[in-house]
Amino acid sequence: MTVKKRPSDLTSLERFNMYYREREPPLTAGQKFQRFIWNPKTRQFCGRTGASWSKIALFYFIFYAALAVLVAICMWTFLQLLDARQPRWQLDSSIIGTNPGLGFRPTPPEVASSVIWYKGNDPGSYQFWIKELSNFLKKYKRDANKSGAGQNIHNCDFKLPPPAGKVCDVDVNAWSPCIEENGFAYHKSTPCIFLKLNKIYAWKPEFYNSSDHLPSAMPEDLKEHIRNMTAYDKNYLNMVWVSCQGENPADRENIGPIQYLPYRGFPGYYFPYSNQEGYLSPLVAVHLQRPKTGMLINIECRAWAHNIKYDRVEGIGSVHIEIMVE
Amino acid sequence: MNSRTSSLSSISDLFRPNNPKGLRSRDLSSTRLSALKKEINTDTHLIPLKDLYTLLGTDPVNGLSSQKAQELLDYYGLNTLTPPTHYTVPKLLLKSLCTGFSILIWLGAILCLSAYLIELSTKPDPSTDNLYLGCVLIAVDLICGIFSFFQNYKSSKIMKTFNSMIPMHTTCLRDGILNRNTEVRDLVKGDIIYVEIGDVIPADIRIIESRGFKVDNSSLTGECIAVPRHNTDGSANILESPNVAFFSSLCVEGWAKGVVLFCGDLTALGRVAGLAARLQPAPSPLSREIRRFMRCMSTCALALGIFIASASMILGYPFMQTSIFVIGIVVANIPEGLQPTITASLTLTAKRMVTRNCLVKNLEAIEALGACTTICSDKTGTLTENKMCVRHIWTWNKTYSILDKEFENFLQNDQALNSLKICGALCSNATVVKSGVIRGDASEKAILNFLFNYCDPVTIRKRYPKIVEIPFNSVNKYQISIHLNEEKKTYLLVMKGAPECILSRCVTIAFNNKSISMTEDIKQAVNTTTENLANTGERILAFADCDLDSNEYPLNYPFDTENPNFPVDELRFLGLIGLKDPPREQVRSAIERVRAAGVRVMMVTGDHPATARAVAIEVGIATTPSCHIVTGTELRNMSPDLLYLTLAKHYEIVFARTSPTQKLQIVEACQKQGGVVAVTGDGVNDAPALRRADIGISMGIAGSQVSKQTADIILMDDNFATIVTGIEEGRKIFDNLKKSVCYILISNVPEILPVLMFILFSIPLPLGVMTILCVDLGTDMWPAVSLSHEQAEQDVMARPPRTSDPLVSNRMIRLVYLHLGLIEFAAGMFAYFIVMAEHGFYPSQLFGIRQKWDNVAVTDVEDSLGQEWTYAERKELERACQATYFVAVVVTQMMNCIICKTRYNSIFHVGMKNNVLNIGLIFELILACMVCYIPGVNTFFKTYPLRLRWWFLALPFAALMFIFDEFRKHCIRNHMFGGWFNKFTFY
C-alpha cells in the first residue's frame, strides 16, 4: 500500500508537474459518454482495453465453465442414483402421500376456474369443450395397427386382472353416449364430464366391497347401487366408487338424473399404477341427463375408498365442478 | 457606522420572539444559524460612553425607566437563550420510517395487502399468505425505522446545559433604584447593572466603573485565567476588549458597574450556544456511504421491479401474479439486514471502547475516527493539564529546570533560592486547606504546590505572620506583603509581580549568601531570561524582598497600605519563577502515533501565539520552531479561499487567539478540503466546533458540561492516547464492516436469481419471500455481526486514513454478484432440482410448468414418472424444495462466513479463533433447523421438515467456494497473474 504524499512532502519538481500538467478541455456529458464507450486515445472500450476485456472473458469462461461442470457432475451423479422407472420416494414417504386427488375434464380455459359454461343451441359456444375433450381423449383412442404400446394392452376384467407389466385397456365406446362422435352429448344440453383419479405410484385402493359398514356420508343412491351390485356380482365391488351431487339443496334439484359410464367408479384392476408402458388412467363419464338450463349448478364429485380421505374445504378426495347450460 | 448599526439591528431582529420577518420556523432557524456564523461586528465597546448612553437611551445614574425596559423586553424578548426549532418527534419518526430501503419495503407491504384485499373481495376463502407477508414486511419496516429513529433522535439538551450556566438574579439599576433581586431574564439592552465577586455576569456589559474587577472568561476563550476588566479604551476585537465583560463569565475579584450591551442570544455566549445547538453535524463518512449504497440498491431494485411489473403486465399476467413477482424482486434485492448489522457491530465496538475509557455517544463516530484525516485539538485542558506548574527558576545568572535531576541539590545549598522559597510562600493569597488542597489563583497554587515538594510553606507562614498587604492590581502589576520574622523580631517585605516592574524597583540582587548591587549587565541577563522563557510559553513572575531595619520599623509600626510608608523601591531582587501549563504525559507519544497513521494534527487554541507555539513544539504538533501560526486577528482578515490555501500549503499549523466562531470556520474549511475532521476540546468555546466536526471529542474529567453534551466521544480519563485506540478501532471496524457487508450481500444473489428463474423459465418458485426474510433478518444476522469481532489483518495504523476506499466498492460488487453469489445460487438450484427429481419431477419437466403448477383449479399435474399431483400436494412439494434451497443457502453462507473472515490472509493462517463467530455459525444452523422443524413455525415461514440427506446437497458447492476463494486470496497475496485478482476482486 503506497502512502499518499501530502503536498508539503512533494519536491519542487513534483509540485511543478502537479500544477502545470496538461489540462484537458472540459467535456460535455455526451462527449464523456462517447469517450467511455470508445476512447480512441487509449483504445479503450467501456473503460477497458481489448486485452483487458479478453482477460475478463477468459476468466469468466473458465470460472463459469468450472461451475457448470460441477453442477453437471453433481446433477448427473444424483440422477444416476435415481431409478428412472420409479420415484425415489413413494406413497407415505413421498410428499404426494396416499390420497389421490380427483380431477375432471374438460378443463375451463380461464386460470383457476372450474366453470363449464355454454349455450345449448349455439354450436360455437360448446365447440371449445368438445375440442378440449377430444384432445384429452386422443391418447385413449389406441390405433390397433400401431405396434409398441399395443403389445402391452390386456383386456382386463374384474376376474382377470392384468399380469405384471401389462396395462388394462380403456374402452372408449363404453362411454356412449359420451363419445366424440356424439359431441359428448353437449348439443343436447346434456353435457358429459369425465372424472379421473390421480395416478400415484404403487397406490392400491381399499375398496368398499361389502354393503355393510358403508359410511353414513355416502349418498343413498350409491349405497343402493352397492347393495345391488353385491346381489349381482361380488367381483364388481372391487371398485373405487364415484358419486356426484349438487352441493346445495337447490343444486340437487337442478342437477337432474346422472348416469355414470361405463361403471359407477374406477374398476380395481387398473390399480396399482407402476409406470407401466402405455398405462391409461381409468375414466368415469358423468352424464348429466336433464340439467336445468340457465342455472349455475355446483356439483361435488367424490371418490370412495377406505383409504381416500375426504375434506371438503381442502378439496381432498373430491372435486368441485360448476356447470351452466343456457 | 450606519451599516454596522443596521446589521446589528437586523440580527437582533432575527432573534425577536414574535418571528419578525414572517419566516417559516425552519427557515428562521437556518437564517439565524447563518447570522450566528458571522463574527460579532459591533462598535459599541469603542465609542465614547456618552454616545453609548444616547444610543441605548439609558442613563448611568438612574438606569432605564421601568416603562422603557418593559417596552424593550416586549420587543426583543427575554434575556435567555432561545432553543432552536428542531424536527418534531412525529416528523422525525416519519422521516426515519421512510428512508433507505424502507420505502421499497412499504411498497412491498402495500402490494401484499392490496393483493390480499383483492383476493378477499373476489374469493370466499382467500389465502392469508399475502396478509401475513404484508404484516411481516410492515413489522420489519417499523422495527428498522424505530431502530434508526432512536439512533437519530437525541433530545437536544445542549441549550439546557447552556441555560444552566446563567444566574437567576442580579443587581440592576432602574428608575434610579437599585434592585438586588432583578430577574436576569428581565434584563434589556441599556440596563445598568452591578456585579461583584462571586457573581456570574448576566449579560454582555461594558464597564463604567470598577475596582479590582477580574473575570474568568474560560467559557469563551477556554483559558481559566482571571483577566482584569475596567473602564478603558476598547480594542477592535470585542472578545479581547478590556472594557467588556461577558455573559456567563464569573467575577473572581472586585466589583464593577456596567451597561448592558447585548442580551440573550446576541451575547457572545448566546452566539456560541446558538451555534452549538443549531449546527447540524456533517453526516459521517459511513452514513454517507451507506446512504449512497442504499440509494443505488433501491434504484436497482425499483428499476428491476418496474421492469418486471411492466413486462408481466404486457404479457398479460393478472395483477396478483405481477404483484407476487414485484414483491419477490424487491424483497430479494434489498439487504434488509444491512442496517441492523452495522448498528449492532458499531454498538459492540462502542461497548468495547467503554472498557478503554472511551464513551461513545454517537455510534458512527467510531468509524469516522478511523477515517479521520485531521485532528483539530484545543490546547488548554486537552493537550495540557490546565494546571499551572513551576518549570524554571532563575537566580543570579543561572536557570534551573525543575525537571533536572540535580535540582534538589541546588535548592539545598543555595541561599538565594532559600530566600526565594520564603518569598514564594509568603507573598501569596492562596490558602492551604487542611487536606493539602490549595485554593487560590492558578499561578500561586502552582508555586505553593512546587514548594510543598521541598519545604513546608505552612510552617514558613507560621514563622512569618502576615502584617499587611497590597493586593495585586493591573495598574501596579505587583503585590506586596509585610511579615514579621518571629525569631529576629524584624519585618520582612516581600514582593511579587511582573519581571520588568519588579526589576525596576530593585537595587541589589541576591547572590549565594550575599547581596550584590544591580548592574546593567544583570538587568540585561534578567530580561534575556524572561524573554527566553516567555518564548517557550512560560508565564514569568519575579520576586524581591527587603529586610526592614528594626530601628526604622520597630515592632507594631503602623504600616499604611493606602499611602505606603515603607519602601517599595530599593529592594533586593531574588529571582524569577517560570510557570507553565504542562502538556499531559501521554500526549506526545500519542500525537506521534497519530501522525504516523497519516492523520494531521493541528492546534486551535484561544491562547497566546507564543504559548501555543511552545506547546505545539513540546507535544510534537509542530516539528520545527518556525511552524506556521495563524492568529485570530489574521484569521478575521482572511477570505475563506485564503484560509483554504493556507491549510493546503502548510502541514503544521497552529491557530492561536481564536474565537469560538473561528474554530468553527477552521473546521468547516478542513471539511471543505474533503477531510474528515476530529475536534478535541473541553471548553464551552469549543462547543460549535465540536458539534460541526465529524467527530467531536470531549474530555470526561476536565471537560465542561456543554462540551460533553455536544461531543460524539468522551474520553473518560482525559487521556489523549485513547484517541489512538479510537482510530485503531475505527479502522478495524471499517475493515470488518466491509467483510460483514460482503457476507450480507452474497446471500442477495441466491435470493434474486430464483425470482428471475421463476419469471423467465416458469419453474415453481425456488425461494419464497418469507424465506428470503428469514435469511436476511434471521440466519445471516449473528454471523454478520460476529465478523466485527475479527482481528485486524494488517497493521491498520501503518496506512494513511482512507479517502477513496469506499465501504462497498466495485470490486466487492463484482466478487459478490459474479463469483461467490453465483456459486451459492448454483448450490441452491441444485438442491432444489434434486428434491424435485427425487419426487418425480425431473428438471426437464419443470421448465414452463408454472402455469399449471400455480393454478388451483388444476388438480392433476403429471410428473416425469406419470404420478399426478393435486394443488395441495404440489404446494407442499414446493415448500420442501424452497426449504432445501434455504438450507443450501444457509450451508453455503456458513462457508461464506468463514471465507469472509479474511480479505487477504489465508484462513489457515488466521484460524478459527473468533469464538463469537463460531457460536454464530452454530446459531445459524440451529436457527435454520428451528425454522424447518418446529411445527407452526415452518408453516408460517413456508418451510418443511427436511430429510437429513437434503442438508448435505450444498456441500460440494461450499467446498468449491472455499477452494476458489483460497485460490483467489493466494493470488492476491502473491500478486499472481500480474495482480489481476488484486485489481479485480480485492475489496
Side-chain angles (χ1 to χ4, degrees):
Chain A
M1 213 170 276
T2 55
V3 177
K4 202 182 154 195
K5 280 190 173 178
R6 36 180 211 250
S8 57
D9 288 347
L10 297 176
T11 63
S12 55
L13 180 67
E14 279 172 323
R15 252 187 239 190
F16 181 85
N17 288 338
M18 212 170 91
Y19 285 110
Y20 294 98
R21 66 166 167 234
E22 201 178 324
R23 291 271 158 82
E24 286 175 15
L27 298 172
T28 62
Q31 278 173 318
K32 263 186 197 159
F33 184 70
Q34 213 173 348
R35 171 79 62 90
F36 173 73
I37 295 293
W38 173 247
N39 187 341
K41 217 185 219 172
T42 50
R43 305 188 59 74
Q44 281 175 335
F45 170 69
C46 288
R48 287 179 184 281
T49 58
S52 171
W53 275 117
S54 55
K55 269 187 205 163
I56 288 173
L58 181 69
F59 169 77
Y60 279 113
F61 178 74
I62 295 172
F63 178 70
Y64 290 144
L67 190 58
V69 165
L70 183 72
V71 173
I73 289 173
C74 290
M75 211 65 164
W76 185 79
T77 318
F78 268 88
L79 292 183
Q80 284 305 303
L81 293 176
L82 296 180
D83 190 328
R85 299 299 309 164
Q86 57 179 21
R88 178 73 180 75
W89 311 109
Q90 294 172 14
L91 299 174
D92 272 330
S93 52
S94 168
I95 288 168
I96 200 166
T98 53
N99 219 28
L102 200 59
F104 74 94
R105 291 292 186 282
T107 352
E110 301 91 13
V111 174
S113 161
S114 49
V115 185
I116 300 171
W117 176 85
Y118 72 98
K119 286 183 180 136
N121 50 10
D122 178 7
S125 75
Y126 54 74
Q127 206 55 46
F128 170 81
W129 305 106
I130 293 172
K131 216 182 215 168
E132 182 74 19
L133 279 177
S134 312
N135 270 340
F136 171 63
L137 294 176
K138 207 174 269 167
K139 59 186 170 200
Y140 284 85
K141 288 185 168 176
R142 299 196 212 243
D143 197 341
N145 303 330
K146 223 177 172 185
S147 59
Q151 295 175 347
N152 255 347
I153 295 169
H154 188 256
N155 272 329
C156 308
D157 197 349
F158 286 98
K159 291 170 202 154
L160 209 71
K166 298 268 178 181
V167 294
C168 294
D169 194 19
V170 179
D171 186 6
V172 178
N173 295 320
W175 296 322
S176 176
C178 296
I179 49 173
E180 192 177 355
E181 291 75 19
N182 195 23
F184 304 105
Y186 273 66
H187 56 286
K188 290 174 186 158
S189 300
T190 56
C192 286
I193 298 162
F194 288 84
L195 293 181
K196 61 191 277 291
L197 200 59
N198 280 358
K199 290 181 280 184
I200 291 180
Y201 193 93
W203 182 74
K204 276 186 221 146
E206 290 160 23
F207 309 109
Y208 285 110
N209 50 8
S210 118
S211 53
D212 321 320
H213 312 301
L214 291 178
S216 58
M218 194 180 265
E220 278 310 313
D221 63 321
L222 181 57
K223 283 184 186 168
E224 186 64 37
H225 181 81
I226 294 171
R227 262 177 235 130
N228 292 342
M229 281 317 226
T230 321
Y232 174 65
D233 186 345
K234 285 212 169 176
N235 283 324
Y236 282 78
L237 290 176
N238 290 336
M239 193 126 47
V240 177
W241 304 107
V242 163
S243 70
C244 288
Q245 58 178 348
E247 277 184 3
N248 308 313
D251 295 324
R252 263 168 235 156
E253 244 172 58
N254 294 337
I255 195 167
I258 299 170
Q259 194 187 4
Y260 303 90
L261 300 161
Y263 304 106
R264 206 179 162 167
F266 304 101
Y269 49 78
Y270 285 98
F271 302 102
Y273 167 69
S274 54
N275 200 13
Q276 306 98 319
E277 189 84 23
Y279 180 90
L280 289 173
S281 289
L283 297 177
V284 174
V286 178
H287 188 208
L288 305 180
Q289 286 170 317
R290 263 198 320 281
K292 204 159 201 181
T293 51
M295 292 279 203
L296 183 73
I297 308 166
N298 292 303
I299 306 169
E300 188 197 34
C301 294
R302 203 177 149 180
W304 297 89
H306 283 296
N307 55 354
I308 295 180
K309 284 182 221 106
Y310 169 73
D311 187 323
R312 186 169 175 178
V313 180
E314 297 284 317
I316 293 172
S318 69
V319 67
H320 169 84
I321 310 165
E322 287 159 65
I323 194 157
M324 179 151 161
V325 186
E326 277 182 35
Chain B
M1 185 183 151
N2 275 340
S3 67
R4 275 185 174 177
T5 334
S6 71
S7 79
L8 185 73
S9 67
S10 81
I11 185 172
S12 55
D13 266 350
L14 266 181
F15 283 92
R16 277 173 46 199
N18 47 358
N19 194 358
K21 298 194 171 169
L23 294 164
R24 282 191 303 134
S25 64
R26 297 273 316 150
D27 290 344
L28 183 68
S29 196
S30 60
T31 322
R32 282 178 175 175
L33 178 61
S34 52
L36 287 173
K37 274 191 185 178
K38 294 182 186 123
E39 284 282 332
I40 308 177
N41 198 358
T42 179
D43 54 2
T44 44
H45 61 293
L46 297 173
I47 57 176
L49 271 172
K50 263 187 194 162
D51 294 355
L52 183 66
Y53 297 143
T54 345
L55 187 70
L56 297 174
T58 186
D59 174 67
V61 183
N62 292 323
L64 289 172
S65 68
S66 314
Q67 194 195 345
K68 168 124 195 199
Q70 192 57 45
E71 271 171 27
L72 286 171
L73 193 65
D74 288 343
Y75 189 75
Y76 288 115
L78 297 172
N79 177 27
T80 51
L81 304 177
T82 326
T85 31
H86 273 300
Y87 281 119
T88 49
V89 174
K91 219 171 171 184
L92 199 66
L93 188 64
L94 199 68
K95 214 180 150 203
S96 29
L97 283 178
C98 297
T99 45
F101 300 138
S102 303
I103 301 172
L104 285 179
I105 302 181
W106 282 121
L107 183 80
I110 290 168
L111 274 178
C112 278
L113 292 182
S114 53
Y116 173 72
L117 286 178
I118 288 174
E119 214 177 352
L120 192 67
S121 59
T122 52
K123 278 191 195 168
D125 48 338
S127 78
T128 44
D129 294 355
N130 277 323
L131 180 66
Y132 283 155
L133 185 57
C135 292
V136 167
L137 287 177
I138 289 174
V140 166
D141 229 3
L142 282 180
I143 291 167
C144 290
I146 290 170
F147 215 67
S148 74
F149 170 74
F150 277 110
Q151 215 193 318
N152 292 335
Y153 180 75
K154 289 175 200 97
S155 63
S156 184
K157 287 183 195 141
I158 298 172
M159 262 310 175
K160 260 188 211 160
T161 334
F162 272 106
N163 270 322
S164 68
M165 295 165 60
I166 303 165
M168 292 301 291
H169 300 284
T170 186
T171 314
C172 173
L173 182 71
R174 276 186 194 168
D175 299 327
I177 302 162
L178 200 63
N179 184 356
R180 291 209 157 269
N181 269 331
T182 313
E183 295 226 17
V184 163
R185 53 179 198 179
D186 288 340
L187 284 187
V188 291
K189 260 185 348 182
D191 262 330
I192 306 291
I193 57 162
Y194 287 83
V195 277
E196 53 189 31
I197 180 160
D199 281 353
V200 174
I201 294 162
D204 284 3
I205 56 169
R206 178 164 172 186
I207 314 294
I208 302 170
E209 224 181 305
S210 68
R211 185 167 169 83
F213 182 58
K214 273 190 185 177
V215 286
D216 178 356
N217 266 344
S218 61
S219 59
L220 290 174
T221 59
E223 310 301 318
C224 264
I225 300 168
V227 284
R229 288 287 186 256
H230 44 87
N231 181 6
T232 59
D233 290 337
S235 65
N237 182 356
I238 188 169
L239 288 175
E240 289 175 7
S241 184
N243 60 353
V244 182
F246 294 103
F247 195 26
S248 84
S249 297
L250 179 71
C251 171
V252 287
E253 266 181 63
W255 64 267
K257 173 185 174 188
V259 55
V260 174
L261 293 180
F262 302 107
C263 285
D265 293 309
L266 298 174
T267 58
L269 181 90
R271 285 158 183 265
V272 171
L275 275 177
R278 283 191 179 79
L279 277 173
Q280 283 304 314
S284 77
L286 185 67
S287 71
R288 255 179 297 184
E289 256 167 43
I290 292 173
R291 206 175 298 159
R292 185 183 65 93
F293 174 64
M294 280 187 171
R295 209 180 302 134
C296 271
M297 291 296 280
S298 309
T299 321
C300 282
L302 201 63
L304 204 57
I306 290 172
F307 173 73
I308 298 284
S310 46
S312 75
M313 282 301 206
I314 290 167
L315 291 176
Y317 285 106
F319 174 77
M320 285 287 290
Q321 193 68 46
T322 310
S323 65
I324 288 169
F325 290 161
V326 173
I327 294 163
I329 279 289
V330 166
V331 174
N333 253 306
I334 296 172
E336 288 90 354
L338 187 70
Q339 189 78 56
T341 304
I342 289 175
T343 313
S345 301
L346 290 176
T347 312
L348 287 172
T349 315
K351 282 214 167 134
R352 210 159 48 226
M353 301 285 282
V354 169
T355 59
R356 296 179 167 196
N357 280 322
C358 180
L359 180 72
V360 180
K361 281 173 64 195
N362 177 5
L363 288 180
E364 278 163 3
I366 314 170
E367 193 283 321
L369 197 55
C372 143
T373 56
T374 313
I375 297 179
C376 294
S377 181
D378 181 34
K379 180 183 76 72
T380 320
T382 310
L383 297 176
T384 68
E385 287 175 359
N386 196 11
K387 200 172 80 186
M388 279 293 180
C389 275
V390 175
R391 293 305 283 272
H392 287 98
I393 289 189
W394 182 91
T395 56
W396 172 236
N397 232 2
K398 188 159 173 79
T399 311
Y400 303 96
S401 167
I402 300 300
L403 304 174
D404 204 337
K405 277 175 191 155
E406 288 170 44
F407 176 72
E408 212 157 324
N409 296 335
F410 295 128
L411 202 66
Q412 296 299 321
N413 305 331
D414 199 321
Q415 198 54 45
L417 279 174
N418 263 337
S419 308
L420 189 61
K421 278 195 295 193
I422 293 169
C423 184
L426 296 180
C427 190
S428 166
N429 283 332
T431 51
V432 182
V433 188
K434 260 193 182 167
S435 50
V437 181
I438 302 166
R439 280 210 193 127
D441 183 55
S443 47
E444 292 184 344
K445 255 159 73 179
I447 292 169
L448 277 191
N449 263 329
F450 160 69
L451 290 176
F452 262 114
N453 292 335
Y454 305 103
C455 57
D456 187 6
V458 182
T459 43
I460 295 180
R461 285 186 176 189
K462 271 183 190 153
R463 273 165 47 209
Y464 296 90
K466 190 186 274 181
I467 308 300
V468 288
E469 71 168 339
I470 303 176
F472 186 88
N473 69 50
S474 49
V475 181
N476 292 343
K477 294 195 172 170
Y478 62 76
Q479 162 179 5
I480 291 178
S481 56
I482 294 171
H483 299 259
L484 176 68
N485 187 341
E486 294 207 314
E487 288 166 26
K488 296 182 189 163
K489 299 295 175 199
T490 56
Y491 287 106
L492 174 69
L493 181 146
V494 285
M495 185 182 205
K496 177 180 84 176
E500 66 279 3
C501 180
I502 304 285
L503 201 55
S504 63
R505 294 169 189 275
C506 290
V507 287
T508 57
I509 180 161
F511 172 54
N512 270 347
N513 295 332
K514 56 188 182 193
S515 305
I516 55 172
S517 58
M518 187 67 89
T519 62
E520 276 307 311
D521 284 351
I522 294 172
K523 278 192 181 175
Q524 193 57 46
V526 173
N527 284 333
T528 323
T529 314
T530 311
E531 214 164 279
N532 285 343
L533 290 182
N535 276 344
T536 62
E538 290 191 17
R539 203 169 148 206
I540 323 253
L541 289 173
F543 291 84
D545 69 354
C546 177
D547 278 317
L548 297 181
D549 194 347
S550 53
N551 300 329
E552 225 173 306
Y553 303 97
L555 281 180
N556 300 328
Y557 178 82
F559 291 104
D560 183 5
T561 52
E562 293 292 323
N563 303 302
N565 52 357
F566 47 85
V568 289
D569 294 327
E570 299 177 0
L571 309 176
R572 178 173 70 140
F573 193 80
L574 292 175
L576 303 170
I577 287 183
L579 295 155
K580 191 176 193 175
D581 185 9
R584 292 172 189 276
E585 271 176 34
Q586 335 76 4
V587 166
R588 194 181 167 86
S589 62
I591 285 181
E592 217 167 86
R593 289 186 63 196
V594 166
R595 280 176 60 135
V599 181
R600 175 182 186 182
V601 186
M602 296 195 301
M603 186 193 278
V604 181
T605 176
D607 209 345
H608 285 276
T611 327
R613 183 208 301 269
V615 174
I617 291 168
E618 198 164 344
V619 298
I621 286 180
T623 43
T624 52
S626 60
C627 77
H628 196 72
I629 292 191
V630 181
T631 62
T633 330
E634 285 164 17
L635 204 55
R636 254 169 187 271
N637 301 328
M638 267 187 190
S639 64
D641 285 340
L642 190 59
L643 176 61
Y644 186 85
L645 275 178
T646 315
L647 283 172
K649 191 176 167 203
H650 301 277
Y651 186 70
E652 293 167 349
I653 303 184
V654 172
F655 291 94
R657 281 269 178 217
T658 48
S659 68
T661 330
Q662 284 171 335
K663 288 194 178 192
L664 178 65
Q665 282 169 5
I666 293 164
V667 170
E668 285 184 337
C670 289
Q671 281 173 338
K672 209 177 117 199
Q673 281 189 315
V676 178
V677 185
V679 169
T680 60
D682 63 325
V684 176
N685 61 328
D686 301 315
L690 283 174
R691 180 91 175 134
R692 177 67 200 172
D694 297 283
I695 316 110
I697 305 169
S698 169
M699 298 291 158
I701 303 168
S704 60
Q705 276 305 315
V706 171
S707 73
K708 283 189 212 171
Q709 203 56 252
T710 34
D712 302 309
I713 292 176
I714 298 173
L715 306 179
M716 302 304 282
D717 54 355
D718 285 13
N719 189 343
F720 199 82
T722 314
I723 294 179
V724 185
T725 327
I727 292 177
E728 201 173 347
E729 285 287 336
R731 291 184 177 184
K732 208 175 90 187
I733 193 71
F734 182 74
D735 280 5
N736 286 342
L737 275 181
K738 269 186 180 176
K739 297 173 189 171
S740 296
V741 172
C742 180
Y743 172 79
I744 288 173
L745 284 184
I746 287 180
S747 68
N748 248 21
V749 181
E751 287 164 10
I752 301 168
L753 292 178
V755 183
L756 288 181
M757 294 281 283
F758 171 62
I759 296 166
L760 293 178
F761 299 110
S762 294
I763 58 175
L765 187 63
L767 189 65
V769 179
M770 278 292 198
T771 7
I772 289 176
L773 290 174
C774 243
V775 172
D776 278 353
L777 293 170
T779 56
D780 265 5
M781 285 296 276
W782 189 338
V785 173
S786 71
L787 282 170
S788 70
H789 286 263
E790 279 299 314
Q791 293 299 316
E793 282 190 69
Q794 298 139 323
D795 184 8
V796 286
M797 294 304 272
R799 61 181 195 218
R802 68 187 175 91
T803 43
S804 56
D805 181 21
L807 183 67
V808 185
S809 58
N810 286 342
R811 293 171 182 185
M812 189 200 281
I813 296 281
R814 229 173 262 148
L815 180 68
V816 164
Y817 282 87
L818 297 180
H819 303 161
L820 295 176
L822 285 180
I823 303 182
E824 283 195 10
F825 168 65
M829 284 315 285
F830 168 69
Y832 163 89
F833 278 132
I834 289 302
V835 173
M836 280 288 190
E838 285 190 351
H839 282 95
F841 286 96
Y842 288 176
S844 53
Q845 184 84 5
L846 286 172
F847 290 97
I849 208 174
R850 191 192 66 222
Q851 208 82 37
K852 273 192 282 176
W853 185 279
D854 286 339
N855 189 345
V856 193
V858 176
T859 52
D860 48 354
V861 172
E862 198 174 73
D863 67 19
S864 311
L865 297 171
Q867 299 193 94
E868 286 167 324
W869 296 68
T870 62
Y871 182 75
E873 288 156 1
R874 290 195 305 266
K875 284 292 157 184
E876 200 171 339
L877 176 61
E878 189 180 300
R879 266 171 58 187
C881 292
Q882 292 184 355
T884 322
Y885 192 105
F886 163 70
V887 163
V889 171
V890 167
V891 170
T892 44
Q893 274 292 82
M894 284 169 68
M895 178 51 81
N896 182 18
C897 188
I898 295 169
I899 286 172
C900 285
K901 270 168 75 82
T902 61
R903 296 186 302 129
Y904 183 81
N905 292 332
S906 163
I907 301 287
F908 300 109
H909 176 70
V910 174
M912 296 292 287
K913 286 174 205 144
N914 182 351
N915 276 327
V916 183
L917 186 135
N918 297 344
I919 297 169
L921 291 179
I922 296 167
F923 165 80
E924 181 168 11
L925 205 58
I926 292 174
L927 193 65
C929 289
M930 280 163 62
V931 167
C932 287
Y933 291 108
I934 294 182
V937 176
N938 55 19
T939 43
F940 184 77
F941 287 114
K942 309 224 159 209
T943 54
Y944 189 80
L946 297 178
R947 284 172 191 280
L948 185 64
R949 54 186 281 163
W950 295 336
W951 285 79
F952 302 107
L953 292 173
L955 285 182
F957 295 89
L960 175 72
M961 274 175 100
F962 184 76
I963 294 165
F964 167 74
D965 211 62
E966 272 300 303
F967 171 71
R968 185 179 70 85
K969 282 174 199 156
H970 177 77
C971 293
I972 286 174
R973 280 196 300 277
N974 298 318
H975 230 78
M976 283 160 81
F977 304 114
W980 193 81
F981 271 107
N982 300 48
K983 271 186 281 175
F984 211 61
T985 61
F986 182 52
Y987 62 90

